Amino acid sequence: MRRFILLALCLLAWTSAFAAPRYDIVPTPKHLTEAEGFFRLDKNTALVVEDAAFEEIAADFKAQVKHASALDGSKTRIVLRKRDGFGKEAYKLTVTPSEVLIEASEVNGAFYALQTFKQLLPDAIYAQALKKPVKFLAPCCTIDDEPEFWYRGFLFDCGRFFFPKEEIMKFIDLCATYKQNMFHWHLTEDQGWRIQIDKYPKLTEVGAWRKETAWHSGKGNGIPHGGFYTKDDIREVVEYARRRCVTVIPEVEIPGHSTAAIAAYPELSCFPDRHYEVETKWGIHKNLYAPTATTFRFLEDVFTELFELFPSPIYHIGGDEAPKDVYRESAYCQDLMTVLGLENVEELQTFFVKRMGDFLRRHGKTVIGWDEILDGGALEDPIAMSYRGHAPAARGIKRGIRVILTPNRWCYLDNRQEDQSDAVDQNVFMPLKKVYNYYPSVDSLKDLSAKYIVGYETCLWTEYVPDNETAEYQAFPRNVAAAEVGWTSRENKDWESFRRRMPKVLSTLDWKGVRYCPVYYDVIFDYDRNIGFPKPMNLMLDDPSAEVHYTLDGSTPTMKSPRYDGTPFMVDRGSVIKARGFRKGKPIGKVTTKEFAK
Ligand code: ACM
């Protein structure tokens, strides 16, 4: 009997080793050639680093996979080889039964090859330690890979709510796992200033704290909120990101979104005698930095301290949502406009932004701003982030200005992903499929788009994201889809393939302790909220291995309930639809319900 069990186990191992290999790589690489056989990562494997430039990423890789191999074996090899001729982030990965060969010209490419290699292995490679033994087999293949866009960003708004540095690093690690390379750190807001600046201690003594948070209704909750990153925290985060080939781009908002700084130093405002407090409400606020020598000195001092902390060649100066009432009201601003020969307050903002942009350029920085920076047109060689749809991108492109696309209907991760009727703060419904199917381009300017659109960024704004758990829920798994949008070419993008790769993504996120939104296993009600009744209803389920059953009589759907075949049906006022996915006769996810009022 024991021999029989042993034989059965061997057979099982043999068949699983020779089952069709899965190349569930996210983002999809540029070229993948499948091959027979598997490489096994185990005690027999050695790590060979042929160039000192790759020592650091090799050491990190070794630490990450230590539960699979100490990498000091003598039979099989993982080789990191430096070879000329690759783009900065490009690599070649060749997996054979005896060797994994990684070739790249720069650390970035070699790092991405290692991310890809880990994805070829069972996802337990992301475990800290193993509870039971796992066979770490990677299917053989040859991969030639490079990104579609050089800027693949993720914004984390730490102004509206403060998030601890550990959470920031968790997000950076996830960005790196899926080959996003820019972490845009939104650090200053009306509701909080989050960076220690030695020359201006009140920025964090006063500006980092608000007395309460006023939610949807504008009514406060009475609970103080705040926090800031010390210089050591920032150094730690920036170094952590550097080791993962992620650039940390700081954003200091000018001239608007500046109430917290003004509350700390009212002399930065147009009306220094007024009383200011760190904002407790969301929305667009009217406090602006005054275009005075005091403000310019202050901002130059702040940036000078930031230069020590953030080696990024790109700095973000905001520039969005600055209603100019105070510039109109202020006698000083009106006089300044006369002296400078400016025709309107918009030009005064342009003057302000240009002044700071020039300062940053003199210090070797490329300036990014929200798409309002296009309005005055005075900045030299900026990059504009087109967030109000695609029209600003088109304007920028026509003027030969580089653009990053962040249109809010496709890129704002605070938009809802489960059920559009839940959208209390934002009315935009942005499920995984919508994020995935986006391609950063201005359709009317296809050729110029390829030249001037340098990238794409998702933004996690946090007005309604008060804690780590909600941040992870809002960002994942959608930010993984976004990572593929930034990396994978338009021809290689394929929603059907992506949804089949999702289970591996989700289990990777499980290993990494990410509290993602589990809607992949739930039915989503897909209908047009803007048209009248009766109207067509489509039932969407991202998991392609399941079928959908639904009821219209309020009962709980079972396998015996009607099966949704993909043809939308009509619903009316008073309709109650309940739906659920089933795989091999067993329910998955939860029952979801849509009820339209009579
Ligand atoms: C923005 O959404 N105000 C950049």
PDB file of all heavy atoms in Angstrom, residues 160 253 257 320-321 370 372 387 408 412 461, ligand 1:
ATOM      1  N   ARG A 160      -4.328  64.624   2.405  1.00  0.00           N
ATOM      2  CA  ARG A 160      -5.690  64.556   2.959  1.00  0.00           C
ATOM      3  C   ARG A 160      -5.705  63.667   4.200  1.00  0.00           C
ATOM      4  O   ARG A 160      -6.323  63.973   5.211  1.00  0.00           O
ATOM      5  CB  ARG A 160      -6.666  64.015   1.913  1.00  0.00           C
ATOM      6  CG  ARG A 160      -7.354  65.060   1.044  1.00  0.00           C
ATOM      7  CD  ARG A 160      -6.389  66.080   0.479  1.00  0.00           C
ATOM      8  NE  ARG A 160      -6.974  67.032  -0.436  1.00  0.00           N
ATOM      9  CZ  ARG A 160      -6.894  66.942  -1.767  1.00  0.00           C
ATOM     10  NH1 ARG A 160      -6.232  65.937  -2.339  1.00  0.00           N
ATOM     11  NH2 ARG A 160      -7.444  67.864  -2.513  1.00  0.00           N
ATOM     12  N   GLU A 253       2.601  71.576  -3.603  1.00  0.00           N
ATOM     13  CA  GLU A 253       1.596  72.312  -4.367  1.00  0.00           C
ATOM     14  C   GLU A 253       1.813  73.821  -4.299  1.00  0.00           C
ATOM     15  O   GLU A 253       1.945  74.381  -3.204  1.00  0.00           O
ATOM     16  CB  GLU A 253       0.201  72.010  -3.794  1.00  0.00           C
ATOM     17  CG  GLU A 253      -0.375  70.686  -4.235  1.00  0.00           C
ATOM     18  CD  GLU A 253      -1.335  70.841  -5.418  1.00  0.00           C
ATOM     19  OE1 GLU A 253      -1.252  71.856  -6.150  1.00  0.00           O
ATOM     20  OE2 GLU A 253      -2.166  69.939  -5.596  1.00  0.00           O
ATOM     21  N   HIS A 257      -3.881  74.906  -2.814  1.00  0.00           N
ATOM     22  CA  HIS A 257      -3.776  73.738  -1.921  1.00  0.00           C
ATOM     23  C   HIS A 257      -2.697  73.982  -0.866  1.00  0.00           C
ATOM     24  O   HIS A 257      -1.933  73.082  -0.518  1.00  0.00           O
ATOM     25  CB  HIS A 257      -3.463  72.468  -2.729  1.00  0.00           C
ATOM     26  CG  HIS A 257      -4.622  72.019  -3.574  1.00  0.00           C
ATOM     27  ND1 HIS A 257      -5.703  71.342  -3.056  1.00  0.00           N
ATOM     28  CD2 HIS A 257      -4.879  72.166  -4.890  1.00  0.00           C
ATOM     29  CE1 HIS A 257      -6.573  71.073  -4.031  1.00  0.00           C
ATOM     30  NE2 HIS A 257      -6.106  71.580  -5.154  1.00  0.00           N
ATOM     31  N   ASP A 320      -2.719  73.090  -9.687  1.00  0.00           N
ATOM     32  CA  ASP A 320      -4.139  72.885  -9.992  1.00  0.00           C
ATOM     33  C   ASP A 320      -5.042  73.667  -9.034  1.00  0.00           C
ATOM     34  O   ASP A 320      -4.622  74.076  -7.955  1.00  0.00           O
ATOM     35  CB  ASP A 320      -4.489  71.386  -9.906  1.00  0.00           C
ATOM     36  CG  ASP A 320      -4.210  70.830  -8.526  1.00  0.00           C
ATOM     37  OD1 ASP A 320      -3.211  71.244  -7.908  1.00  0.00           O
ATOM     38  OD2 ASP A 320      -5.001  69.994  -8.045  1.00  0.00           O
ATOM     39  N   GLU A 321      -6.256  73.846  -9.472  1.00  0.00           N
ATOM     40  CA  GLU A 321      -7.368  74.286  -8.620  1.00  0.00           C
ATOM     41  C   GLU A 321      -6.983  75.453  -7.702  1.00  0.00           C
ATOM     42  O   GLU A 321      -6.987  75.321  -6.484  1.00  0.00           O
ATOM     43  CB  GLU A 321      -7.850  73.097  -7.782  1.00  0.00           C
ATOM     44  CG  GLU A 321      -8.350  71.965  -8.658  1.00  0.00           C
ATOM     45  CD  GLU A 321      -8.734  70.721  -7.861  1.00  0.00           C
ATOM     46  OE1 GLU A 321      -8.200  70.511  -6.753  1.00  0.00           O
ATOM     47  OE2 GLU A 321      -9.555  69.956  -8.361  1.00  0.00           O
ATOM     48  N   TRP A 370       0.179  69.938 -12.799  1.00  0.00           N
ATOM     49  CA  TRP A 370      -1.155  69.564 -13.289  1.00  0.00           C
ATOM     50  C   TRP A 370      -1.463  70.396 -14.521  1.00  0.00           C
ATOM     51  O   TRP A 370      -0.781  71.387 -14.795  1.00  0.00           O
ATOM     52  CB  TRP A 370      -2.196  69.743 -12.189  1.00  0.00           C
ATOM     53  CG  TRP A 370      -1.913  68.842 -11.010  1.00  0.00           C
ATOM     54  CD1 TRP A 370      -1.476  69.225  -9.781  1.00  0.00           C
ATOM     55  CD2 TRP A 370      -1.996  67.406 -10.983  1.00  0.00           C
ATOM     56  NE1 TRP A 370      -1.283  68.117  -8.981  1.00  0.00           N
ATOM     57  CE2 TRP A 370      -1.601  66.992  -9.692  1.00  0.00           C
ATOM     58  CE3 TRP A 370      -2.362  66.430 -11.909  1.00  0.00           C
ATOM     59  CZ2 TRP A 370      -1.560  65.642  -9.308  1.00  0.00           C
ATOM     60  CZ3 TRP A 370      -2.332  65.093 -11.528  1.00  0.00           C
ATOM     61  CH2 TRP A 370      -1.934  64.715 -10.251  1.00  0.00           C
ATOM     62  N   GLU A 372      -3.195  72.699 -15.503  1.00  0.00           N
ATOM     63  CA  GLU A 372      -3.312  74.164 -15.476  1.00  0.00           C
ATOM     64  C   GLU A 372      -1.995  74.839 -15.847  1.00  0.00           C
ATOM     65  O   GLU A 372      -1.987  75.990 -16.276  1.00  0.00           O
ATOM     66  CB  GLU A 372      -3.737  74.658 -14.091  1.00  0.00           C
ATOM     67  CG  GLU A 372      -5.208  74.440 -13.774  1.00  0.00           C
ATOM     68  CD  GLU A 372      -5.494  73.121 -13.071  1.00  0.00           C
ATOM     69  OE1 GLU A 372      -4.672  72.195 -13.197  1.00  0.00           O
ATOM     70  OE2 GLU A 372      -6.537  73.030 -12.405  1.00  0.00           O
ATOM     71  N   TYR A 387      -5.189  65.794 -16.257  1.00  0.00           N
ATOM     72  CA  TYR A 387      -6.109  65.082 -15.364  1.00  0.00           C
ATOM     73  C   TYR A 387      -7.569  65.390 -15.671  1.00  0.00           C
ATOM     74  O   TYR A 387      -8.452  64.633 -15.302  1.00  0.00           O
ATOM     75  CB  TYR A 387      -5.782  65.379 -13.891  1.00  0.00           C
ATOM     76  CG  TYR A 387      -6.192  66.747 -13.386  1.00  0.00           C
ATOM     77  CD1 TYR A 387      -7.369  66.924 -12.664  1.00  0.00           C
ATOM     78  CD2 TYR A 387      -5.391  67.859 -13.611  1.00  0.00           C
ATOM     79  CE1 TYR A 387      -7.742  68.178 -12.184  1.00  0.00           C
ATOM     80  CE2 TYR A 387      -5.749  69.104 -13.136  1.00  0.00           C
ATOM     81  CZ  TYR A 387      -6.925  69.254 -12.424  1.00  0.00           C
ATOM     82  OH  TYR A 387      -7.300  70.490 -11.954  1.00  0.00           O
ATOM     83  N   ASN A 408      -9.093  61.730 -14.996  1.00  0.00           N
ATOM     84  CA  ASN A 408      -9.667  61.270 -13.728  1.00  0.00           C
ATOM     85  C   ASN A 408     -10.704  60.150 -13.871  1.00  0.00           C
ATOM     86  O   ASN A 408     -10.900  59.377 -12.956  1.00  0.00           O
ATOM     87  CB  ASN A 408     -10.224  62.452 -12.929  1.00  0.00           C
ATOM     88  CG  ASN A 408     -11.105  63.349 -13.772  1.00  0.00           C
ATOM     89  OD1 ASN A 408     -11.609  62.927 -14.824  1.00  0.00           O
ATOM     90  ND2 ASN A 408     -11.289  64.581 -13.343  1.00  0.00           N
ATOM     91  N   TYR A 412      -8.272  57.669 -11.555  1.00  0.00           N
ATOM     92  CA  TYR A 412      -8.388  58.024 -10.142  1.00  0.00           C
ATOM     93  C   TYR A 412      -8.920  56.823  -9.363  1.00  0.00           C
ATOM     94  O   TYR A 412     -10.065  56.420  -9.497  1.00  0.00           O
ATOM     95  CB  TYR A 412      -9.298  59.252  -9.969  1.00  0.00           C
ATOM     96  CG  TYR A 412      -8.605  60.579 -10.232  1.00  0.00           C
ATOM     97  CD1 TYR A 412      -7.405  60.641 -10.939  1.00  0.00           C
ATOM     98  CD2 TYR A 412      -9.139  61.776  -9.754  1.00  0.00           C
ATOM     99  CE1 TYR A 412      -6.766  61.856 -11.173  1.00  0.00           C
ATOM    100  CE2 TYR A 412      -8.513  62.990  -9.981  1.00  0.00           C
ATOM    101  CZ  TYR A 412      -7.325  63.023 -10.696  1.00  0.00           C
ATOM    102  OH  TYR A 412      -6.702  64.223 -10.920  1.00  0.00           O
ATOM    103  N   TRP A 461      -6.273  59.486  -4.563  1.00  0.00           N
ATOM    104  CA  TRP A 461      -6.654  60.638  -3.736  1.00  0.00           C
ATOM    105  C   TRP A 461      -7.357  60.107  -2.510  1.00  0.00           C
ATOM    106  O   TRP A 461      -8.087  59.107  -2.592  1.00  0.00           O
ATOM    107  CB  TRP A 461      -7.558  61.587  -4.527  1.00  0.00           C
ATOM    108  CG  TRP A 461      -6.867  62.122  -5.745  1.00  0.00           C
ATOM    109  CD1 TRP A 461      -7.103  61.774  -7.042  1.00  0.00           C
ATOM    110  CD2 TRP A 461      -5.810  63.084  -5.782  1.00  0.00           C
ATOM    111  NE1 TRP A 461      -6.253  62.458  -7.881  1.00  0.00           N
ATOM    112  CE2 TRP A 461      -5.451  63.265  -7.135  1.00  0.00           C
ATOM    113  CE3 TRP A 461      -5.123  63.799  -4.799  1.00  0.00           C
ATOM    114  CZ2 TRP A 461      -4.436  64.149  -7.524  1.00  0.00           C
ATOM    115  CZ3 TRP A 461      -4.121  64.669  -5.196  1.00  0.00           C
ATOM    116  CH2 TRP A 461      -3.791  64.840  -6.543  1.00  0.00           C
TER     117      TRP A 461
HETATM  118  C1  ACM B   1      -6.493  67.171  -9.323  1.00  0.00           C
HETATM  119  O1  ACM B   1      -7.312  66.232  -9.417  1.00  0.00           O
HETATM  120  N1  ACM B   1      -6.866  68.327  -8.799  1.00  0.00           N
HETATM  121  C2  ACM B   1      -5.132  67.022  -9.770  1.00  0.00           C
END
